[in-house]
C-alpha cells in the first residue's frame, strides 16, 4: 500500500508522471481491500496515459481525513459517506460501482440483519428490543443506517430500544462478535456473508437472517431496502480533462478490464442518490439537515 501524496498531483522525481491517489473505503481488512482493487489501478494506468494511479485502501475515518487534507484526487466509498464528503468538500460522483454474483451484475446494495442460527428468541424485528446489536459505524449505510431505517419504519427506535455497539472496521468483526456471543444481533452490508462463506471462513448454516426480503434481480441475502452502490467521485480541483479521462475508462472497465473472478464487475453512469438522501433527512442524519429543521428536531433538542 503506497503512501498518500500531497495535493496537487506530485511526481516522485523530475520527469516521472504525477501520481493520482484514489481513496477506497475498506469494509474488510486493508490487505483484502488492496487485493480486490489492484486490477482497477492497473487498468487505469494502462488506459489513462500521463499519470500513475495508486489505489489507497482506507478505513472510513482515515478516508475522511485524507479527503479533508486534499490527499486524494478520487474517492470510492459507500453512499452515505459520499453524501457527507460531498457536502463538506465538494465531491462529484462520476460513476457508480457495478458488482457481480456469478454471471449476474447489479448496481444496488442494502443491509442484512442477522443472528446466530440457534437463537430461537430472535425471529422478527420486534425481537431486537433489549438486545445488543453490533454494527460498524453510525454513518455506515450497509452496516447501520439501512437497518436503522427499516426498524424505524416498523415503529422501532433502535437508539432507544436496543444497545448498539459500534465495532469499527472491518465488518468481519461483527460476524465474529455475534458468533462468539458478544452481541445478539449484527448489521452488515449485503454480500459480506456470501463472501465469507465462499472464502471458507463461515459455515453456510451458522447465521439466520432477520426480516429476509426478496427483490427481483437481486441475488444476495437482504433485510432492508436497496440503494445505489458505491459512487466513484472526483475531488474538487481535479482537472476536468483528467476527470473525463478517468470516467471514460471506468465505463469501459467492466467490458474488458475486470477479472472474471472479481466481485466488482465495473462501473455504470452515476446513479440517483436522492432516495438515500431523503431517508437521511427523515432520520435527522443528513449533513445538511439544518436546512430542513422541523418539529421533530425541535422536540429532540428541547424535550
Amino acid at each position: 500500500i503506497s503512501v498518500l501524496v500531497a495535493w496537487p498531483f506530485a511526481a516522485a522525481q523530475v520527469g516521472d508522471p504525477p501520481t493520482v491517489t484514489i481513496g477506497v473505503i475498506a469494509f474488510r481488512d486493508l490487505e483484502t481491500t488492496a487485493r480486490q482493487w489492484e486490477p482497477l489501478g492497473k487498468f487505469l494506468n494502462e488506459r489513462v496515459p500521463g499519470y500513475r494511479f495508486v489505489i489507497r485502501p482506507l478505513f472510513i475515518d482515515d478516508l475522511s481525513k485524507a479527503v479533508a487534507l486534499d490527499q486524494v484526487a478520487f474517492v470510492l466509498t459507500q453512499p452515505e459517506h459520499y453524501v457527507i464528503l460531498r457536502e463538506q468538500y465538494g465531491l462529484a460522483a462520476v460513476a457508480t460501482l457495478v458488482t457481480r454474483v456469478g454471471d449476474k451484475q447489479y448496481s444496488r446494495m442494502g443491509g442484512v440483519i442477522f443472528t446466530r442460527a440457534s437463537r430461537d428468541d430472535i425471529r422478527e424485528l420486534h425481537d431486537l428490543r433489549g438486545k445488543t446489536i453490533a454494527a460498524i459505524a453510525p454513518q455506515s449505510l450497509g452496516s447501520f443506517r439501512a437497518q436503522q431505517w427499516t426498524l424505524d419504519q416498523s415503529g422501532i427506535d433502535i437508539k432507544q430500544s436496543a444497545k448498539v455497539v459500534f465495532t469499527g472496521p472491518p465488518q468481519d468483526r461483527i460476524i465474529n462478535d455475534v458468533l462468539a456471543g458478544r452481541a445478539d444481533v449484527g448489521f452488515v452490508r449485503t454480500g459480506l456473508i456470501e463472501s465469507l462463506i465462499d472464502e471458507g471462513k463461515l459455515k453456510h448454516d451458522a447465521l439466520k437472517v432477520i426480516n429476509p426480503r426478496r427483490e427481483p434481480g437481486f441475488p444476495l441475502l437482504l433485510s432492508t431496502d436497496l440503494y445505489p452502490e458505491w459512487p466513484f467521485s472526483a475531488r474538487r480541483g481535479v482537472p476536468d480533462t483528467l476527470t473525463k479521462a478517468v470516467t471514460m475508462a471506468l465505463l469501459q472497465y467492466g467490458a474488458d478490464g475486470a477479472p472474471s473472478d472479481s466481485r466488482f464487475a465495473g462501473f455504470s453512469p452515476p446513479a440517483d442518490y436522492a432516495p438515500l438522501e431523503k431517508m437521511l433527512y427523515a432520520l435527522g442524519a443528513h449533513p445538511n439537515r439544518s436546512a430542513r429543521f422541523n418539529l421533530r428536531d425541535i422536540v429532540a433538542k428541547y424535550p
Side-chain angles (χ1 to χ4, degrees):
I1 300 174
S2 67
V3 178
L4 291 171
V5 299
W7 185 273
F9 312 112
Q13 297 180 3
V14 176
D16 289 343
T19 297
V20 179
T21 302
I22 302 172
V24 178
I25 193 169
F27 70 91
R28 304 287 303 276
D29 61 88
L30 295 178
E31 292 75 14
T32 297
T33 304
R35 288 195 302 270
Q36 289 174 331
W37 292 107
E38 183 179 0
L40 177 61
K42 180 180 179 181
F43 177 81
L44 290 175
N45 281 317
E46 293 172 351
R47 293 302 182 96
V48 184
Y51 297 93
R52 185 176 74 92
F53 291 89
V54 173
I55 302 294
R56 175 67 173 178
L58 294 164
F59 292 133
I60 184 168
D61 290 341
D62 294 328
L63 181 53
S64 295
K65 292 176 184 177
V67 175
L69 294 172
D70 289 341
Q71 292 176 325
V72 293
F74 296 95
V75 177
L76 179 59
T77 189
Q78 52 97 347
E80 182 174 353
H81 193 219
Y82 158 71
V83 170
I84 295 169
L85 295 178
R86 184 198 65 194
E87 293 295 321
Q88 295 176 338
Y89 306 108
L91 270 65
V94 299
T96 292
L97 179 66
V98 177
T99 52
R100 176 193 290 123
V101 174
D103 59 352
K104 295 184 179 180
Q105 299 182 6
Y106 55 99
S107 56
R108 297 183 296 169
M109 62 165 289
V112 181
I113 304 171
F114 70 93
T115 186
R116 296 196 308 275
S118 59
R119 290 293 296 264
D120 292 332
D121 60 322
I122 305 176
R123 297 178 178 272
E124 308 291 342
L125 291 177
H126 63 80
D127 294 329
L128 271 62
R129 288 190 173 95
K131 301 299 191 296
T132 298
I133 299 171
I136 191 171
Q139 297 170 338
S140 171
L141 176 62
S143 181
F144 179 69
R145 196 70 71 192
Q147 294 89 338
Q148 180 190 18
W149 179 242
T150 297
L151 289 162
D152 185 85
Q153 295 302 288
S154 298
I156 303 171
D157 184 343
I158 188 174
K159 294 182 178 180
Q160 299 294 327
S161 303
K163 177 183 179 183
V164 181
V165 177
F166 294 112
T167 66
Q171 285 192 31
D172 306 42
R173 186 180 301 173
I174 297 169
I175 292 179
N176 292 336
D177 283 353
V178 172
L179 291 175
R182 291 186 291 270
D184 302 305
V185 176
F187 293 170
V188 295
R189 69 151 284 156
T190 48
L192 176 61
I193 292 176
E194 290 86 348
S195 292
L196 291 173
I197 293 173
D198 290 345
E199 294 167 11
K201 298 177 180 178
L202 179 67
K203 295 181 179 179
H204 73 279
D205 58 353
L207 303 176
K208 175 173 61 178
V209 175
I210 306 301
N211 194 49
R213 298 185 56 170
R214 294 281 186 180
E215 292 289 342
F218 190 78
L220 299 173
L221 298 173
L222 177 69
S223 301
T224 72
D225 292 337
L226 288 173
Y227 303 90
E229 263 286 3
W230 293 3
F232 189 105
S233 55
R235 184 75 165 80
R236 182 190 290 126
V238 175
D240 290 343
T241 53
L242 176 58
T243 299
K244 181 178 179 180
V246 170
T247 302
M248 294 177 65
L250 290 175
L251 296 178
Q252 288 296 314
Y253 181 61
D256 53 7
S260 59
D261 60 346
S262 172
R263 288 188 177 273
F264 306 117
F267 294 87
S268 64
D272 179 12
Y273 293 93
L276 164 65
E277 296 197 61
K278 183 178 179 180
M279 179 263 283
L280 294 177
Y281 275 121
L283 290 173
H286 196 284
N288 195 29
R289 60 186 177 275
S290 60
R292 299 189 183 185
F293 197 78
N294 57 27
L295 181 60
R296 180 175 180 174
D297 297 306
I298 295 173
V299 173
K301 189 169 184 179
Y302 305 106

